[in-house]
Amino acid sequence: MSSPFLSSTAFFFLVLLYLGSCQVSDGAQQRTYIIHMAKSQMPSSFDLHSLWYDSSLRSVSESAQLLYTYNNAIHGFSTRLTPEEADSLMTQPGVISVLPEHRYELHTTRSPLFLGLDEHSADLFPETGASSDVVVGVLDTGVWPESKSFSDKGFGPIPSTWKGGCEPGTNFTASLCNRKLIGARFFAQGYEATMGPVDESKESRSPRDDDGHGTHTSSTAAGSFVEGASLLGFASGTARGMDPRARVAVYKVCWLGGCFSSDILAAIDKAMDDNVNVLSMSLGGGMSDYYRDGVAIGAFAAMERGIFVSCSAGNAGPSPFSLSNVAPWITTVGAGTLDRDFPAVAILGNGKNYSGVSLFKGDALPAKLLPFVYAGNASNATNGNLCMTGTLIPEKVKGKIVMCDRGVNARVQKGDVVKAAGGVGMILANTAANGEELVADAHMLPATTVGEKAGDIIRRYVLTDPNPTASVLIQGTVVNVQPSPVVAAFSSRGPNSITPNILKPDLIAPGVNILAAWTGAAGPTGLPSDSRRVEFNIISGTSMSCPHVSGLAALLKSAHPEWSPAAIRSALMTTAYRSYKDGKPILDIATGKPSTPFDYGAGYVSPTIATNPGLIYDLTTVDYLGFLCALNYTSSQIRSVSRRNYTCDPTKTYSIADLNYPSFAVNVDGSGAYKYTRTVTSVGGAGSYSVKVTSETTAVKISVVPAVMNFKEVNEKKSYTVTFTVDSSKASGSNSFGSIEWSDGKHVVASPVAVSWS
């Protein structure tokens, strides 16, 4: 979910969750279930699996209908059942599991340049012609196909391997696809089964994007070059996706009421048939074991087909243990900033000025200071300081600058409330939850957002001065802001609550104030009262950082078609950076202090180095099956994830520590020593690699054997063992960090280390 809509949608989704859970039809309290079937157990009396699924369903309900049948993401189907019918279905032959459906939520001109992807970097990603055969599939709110970001000018024929299509629907015809936007589908059956028919007066029952989120993410990943792009004059320049030569296929799975797992699985199922190379999913919803997580299950099947899957880490930071999408076969992406800002100054009558941010475009305030009022003193509501709808007293705000506190409702909505009550400007103050993080918005009136420290000072002034006055000065766009990047406060953090011995997020990418294409059906704020229409918008969230990595994966796939999804992730992780050019660690904007691997994973993505990482940590399906065995999953749980009858070897000792991951997470549970094994593959040719180990505390000693690895040729593999010797007496809740780096003098292959005392 992108940050501007966080607070406004949180309450909305709670209401919808309640309404969805209460809906009844055909008697009662039905809900959608996803049924995993053992495909190999189909009786010989059936010619098609779909007939077997229908017969199994009929055995427990005469009225239930198949919503979807799945052939790739899982083997099985989805349907509406009562809890009693679901329990009865679980006893039928060939049924592995019957899982309740889950609702998920949605979690650039400067980005390519900041990441080093300018016109001079084309030789790093060799490609014949102006287009690539790599296809990025995006599961989101659809697409605005008329956007210039989906122009196919200069593109060659659609790849012969492409099996997808362009589905017509409300306000959308198949002819809207082209050689750039080569696929567009929509999936609403799961949504409609719970929420009722799509309200076509509010959103299109088609791939068309009436929200903007999907158009923004897909153009961030692989939008074409668009000169003269900006939002209302802010961030002007040439817009382009991370891989502007890649093809785009959109799968609309998110609607006004959320994104439902039955629709998401159907979209992944179809995307696999269509032959996408990358899947980008900027959505999430809570944490659950992998065998109960529809996104994780679908991603496993995609991974097996060689499809790189990236997902947003979530916007629940800076709280620890707040991550989504942590399965090790998913690349989990957090958010950092760019070196670009949009300053807007809060000017006070006492002569003090405080810098904030804003994307307001319109008539400036009069060249004089105006009366200034605190919203809490202009309302009869107990939460009047939050500037929620209907809480301000017009007589107390008319013609004045109003100070609002951040929280609960959307930032842009607060400005709209001030404007509706007659206010002429707004100073929006962060509270402790957001600290000094400044996220810019295209407000409906002159406004600036300031950090918590400035907000506290301004609030003290407006509450104590007998005649407070203020103004807001919008200053446009500035670049080369330092320090940059910093970790975004909203970016979800580790440790990994599902599997503590797998470090997540994997890495961070640009996710704050990102410019990309937008829908023509909504204004830049997304508010009903916003009649402005823009071709590009600036929004924030891990929803924005995820497609950066999706597009970079497409670039690496085109440069190295033989690389597996794990190899691509490894290259992106081991070349990411964790410190500035002066050697100081990347800061966390939430605290103002150095960030840690629980914040950024392996670091901030550095794509120009990732094309030639030297060594990679590869993984196969068998490795992931061993990982599931190490989790002590039952055979049916493994089958739910992997769609196969796999039995763990009782004579073998499985260990999560041996999953060939490019990072290290140690969960201390009493023992003093922990051994991890890794195998690296040379992709940089012959070379002698020496190890360098760092640990920030003497409580953790790291030893690596061997300390030198000699490679004679490309694709040669070598293994090493790491022993972490820890002080097991440290207090529970303590953390320590470090790194393991291999270098041959040309390449540095870096892995973060995180040690937690549980």
Side-chain angles (χ1 to χ4, degrees):
M1 183 189 299
S2 40
S3 187
F5 309 115
L6 278 174
S7 52
S8 64
T9 54
F11 176 74
F12 179 62
F13 274 117
L14 286 173
V15 173
L16 287 173
L17 281 167
Y18 174 77
L19 292 175
S21 65
C22 292
Q23 178 170 335
V24 294
S25 59
D26 293 323
Q29 297 204 337
Q30 288 187 334
R31 64 179 301 177
T32 300
Y33 290 86
I34 296 170
I35 294 84
H36 295 243
M37 302 289 287
K39 190 175 182 179
S40 61
Q41 294 181 22
M42 182 179 76
S44 57
S45 56
F46 295 100
D47 296 326
L48 299 172
H49 284 91
S50 58
L51 297 177
W52 176 39
Y53 300 160
D54 189 64
S55 175
S56 299
L57 180 58
R58 291 282 162 266
S59 67
V60 300
S61 172
E62 285 296 325
S63 60
Q65 301 291 318
L66 294 176
L67 295 176
Y68 293 107
T69 58
Y70 306 105
N71 301 309
N72 302 309
I74 65 168
H75 296 147
F77 59 96
S78 53
T79 187
R80 298 279 291 178
L81 296 170
T82 65
E84 293 75 20
E85 290 168 341
D87 290 342
S88 178
L89 184 58
M90 190 61 222
T91 66
Q92 297 299 307
V95 176
I96 300 171
S97 65
V98 179
L99 299 177
E101 176 168 65
H102 189 73
R103 184 198 309 260
Y104 294 81
E105 299 175 16
L106 291 169
H107 270 187
T108 45
T109 55
R110 188 67 187 165
S111 309
L113 190 61
F114 187 63
L115 295 175
L117 298 175
D118 57 19
E119 63 272 19
H120 303 298
S121 64
D123 57 336
L124 293 170
F125 304 96
E127 188 70 55
T128 56
S131 57
S132 160
D133 284 352
V134 175
V135 182
V136 180
V138 182
L139 274 65
D140 213 296
T141 63
V143 66
W144 192 260
E146 294 85 359
S147 169
K148 295 174 185 174
S149 291
F150 305 109
S151 167
D152 64 354
K153 184 178 180 180
F155 274 69
I158 292 172
S160 59
T161 54
W162 179 244
K163 308 300 181 188
C166 209
E167 296 178 358
T170 313
N171 304 318
F172 198 95
T173 63
S175 63
L176 289 170
C177 288
N178 57 25
R179 292 168 299 176
K180 172 69 173 180
L181 179 64
I182 63 173
R185 300 185 187 276
F186 67 100
F187 300 83
Q189 288 165 241
Y191 169 83
E192 292 182 323
T194 297
M195 306 299 295
V198 169
D199 184 347
E200 295 186 46
S201 69
K202 295 180 179 178
E203 56 183 336
S204 302
R205 196 178 188 280
S206 74
R208 182 168 291 281
D209 178 16
D210 302 297
D211 175 273
H213 193 277
T215 299
H216 199 280
T217 55
S218 53
S219 63
T220 296
S224 298
F225 290 94
V226 182
E227 294 181 357
S230 74
L231 167 62
L232 305 172
F234 292 95
S236 59
T238 298
R240 53 159 283 184
M242 293 297 97
D243 188 355
R245 297 174 297 189
R247 319 295 179 127
V248 175
V250 298
Y251 299 84
K252 183 175 178 178
V253 296
C254 295
W255 307 84
L256 283 176
C259 325
F260 288 77
S261 55
S262 59
D263 293 327
I264 293 169
L265 276 172
I268 296 173
D269 207 70
K270 184 57 73 172
M272 292 171 64
D273 274 340
D274 291 346
N275 271 349
V276 303
N277 305 105
V278 175
L279 273 178
S280 186
M281 292 186 276
S282 291
L283 47 82
M287 298 290 290
S288 57
D289 289 309
Y290 307 126
Y291 63 87
R292 301 180 66 87
D293 183 341
V295 169
I297 291 167
F300 190 99
M303 171 276 300
E304 271 198 282
R305 291 275 189 96
I307 299 169
F308 179 94
V309 180
S310 57
C311 292
S312 48
N315 294 339
S319 301
F321 299 100
S322 54
L323 294 162
S324 296
N325 303 314
V326 297
W329 46 88
I330 290 173
T331 298
T332 311
V333 188
T337 64
L338 296 171
D339 63 343
R340 179 180 63 197
D341 215 346
F342 308 98
V345 180
I347 304 169
L348 304 186
N350 61 5
K352 301 290 180 65
N353 297 341
Y354 297 93
S355 184
V357 295
S358 183
L359 295 168
F360 170 75
K361 179 73 170 182
D363 293 336
L365 291 170
K368 63 177 182 178
L369 295 175
L370 299 170
F372 186 27
V373 64
Y374 182 55
N377 287 345
S379 172
N380 292 323
T382 55
N383 59 354
N385 62 308
L386 298 176
C387 297
M388 297 177 69
T389 302
T391 61
L392 296 182
I393 301 171
E395 293 77 16
K396 293 189 177 184
V397 303
K398 186 176 181 181
K400 297 180 182 179
I401 306 290
V402 181
M403 181 179 187
C404 303
D405 289 331
R406 190 169 165 183
V408 184
N409 59 332
R411 300 182 300 272
V412 290
Q413 188 179 46
K414 295 174 189 289
D416 199 36
V417 169
V418 170
K419 185 178 181 181
V424 296
M426 177 180 69
I427 297 174
L428 178 60
N430 278 0
T431 58
N434 307 103
E436 300 309 306
E437 177 176 66
L438 300 180
V439 178
D441 297 298
H443 290 287
M444 304 281 283
L445 80 174
T448 183
T449 300
V450 298
E452 180 191 10
K453 293 175 183 175
D456 290 345
I457 297 170
I458 295 170
R459 190 181 300 103
R460 194 175 307 121
Y461 164 74
V462 72
L463 289 174
T464 60
D465 192 283
N467 186 32
T469 57
S471 189
V472 173
L473 178 63
I474 310 297
Q475 295 185 316
T477 305
V478 297
V479 295
N480 298 317
V481 173
Q482 298 301 327
S484 291
V486 296
V487 178
F490 61 74
S491 186
S492 289
R493 315 300 172 96
N496 181 340
S497 61
I498 300 297
T499 315
N501 285 335
I502 300 294
L503 180 62
K504 291 282 184 171
D506 290 311
L507 72 174
I508 61 173
V512 179
N513 298 335
I514 302 302
L515 180 80
W518 196 243
T519 177
T525 64
L527 296 173
S529 58
D530 190 352
S531 61
R532 298 171 296 178
R533 293 295 179 264
V534 295
E535 293 185 33
F536 292 85
N537 198 9
I538 294 173
I539 57 176
S540 301
T542 54
S543 278
M544 283 60 258
S545 54
C546 169
H548 276 84
V549 168
S550 306
L552 295 176
L555 274 177
L556 290 179
K557 187 68 176 177
S558 64
H560 301 283
E562 74 284 3
W563 280 8
S564 69
I568 292 172
R569 174 178 56 198
S570 173
L572 291 168
M573 288 178 65
T574 61
T575 58
Y577 63 93
R578 304 180 301 279
S579 58
Y580 303 116
K581 291 179 181 178
D582 63 4
K584 294 180 180 178
I586 290 174
L587 296 177
D588 179 359
I589 192 63
T591 62
K593 298 176 181 178
S595 52
T596 76
F598 285 149
D599 307 324
Y600 56 63
Y604 196 95
V605 69
S606 182
T608 57
I609 307 174
T611 57
N612 184 17
L615 304 174
I616 57 169
Y617 295 80
D618 210 353
L619 283 161
T620 66
T621 302
V622 172
D623 295 317
Y624 290 122
L625 290 169
F627 166 78
L628 297 178
C629 290
L631 293 178
N632 294 318
Y633 273 20
T634 65
S635 57
S636 65
Q637 289 168 346
I638 292 174
R639 196 163 195 164
S640 290
V641 175
S642 67
R643 312 166 327 286
R644 57 168 54 74
N645 189 17
Y646 185 84
T647 304
C648 303
D649 185 345
T651 66
K652 183 177 179 179
T653 301
Y654 294 93
S655 172
I656 297 171
D658 294 337
L659 185 69
N660 203 37
Y661 218 71
S663 58
F664 296 86
V666 181
N667 194 44
V668 180
D669 57 4
S671 172
Y674 299 83
K675 282 195 173 183
Y676 285 55
T677 59
R678 293 293 187 268
T679 300
V680 289
T681 304
S682 172
V683 293
S688 179
Y689 285 80
S690 299
V691 73
K692 175 186 174 184
V693 171
T694 59
S695 176
E696 67 178 19
T697 173
T698 56
V700 179
K701 293 182 174 62
I702 306 172
S703 61
V704 178
V705 178
V708 177
M709 295 187 293
N710 295 304
F711 294 88
K712 298 177 182 178
E713 58 189 4
V714 173
N715 293 328
E716 185 178 357
K717 296 179 184 293
K718 297 278 186 182
S719 296
Y720 67 92
T721 301
V722 185
T723 302
F724 299 94
T725 305
V726 303
D727 178 356
S728 57
S729 66
K730 283 199 66 143
S732 178
S734 301
N735 299 309
S736 182
F737 305 99
S739 66
I740 297 172
E741 297 181 356
W742 294 93
S743 179
D744 64 350
K746 294 180 294 184
H747 310 91
V748 176
V749 186
S751 294
V753 171
V755 181
S756 301
W757 281 260
S758 59

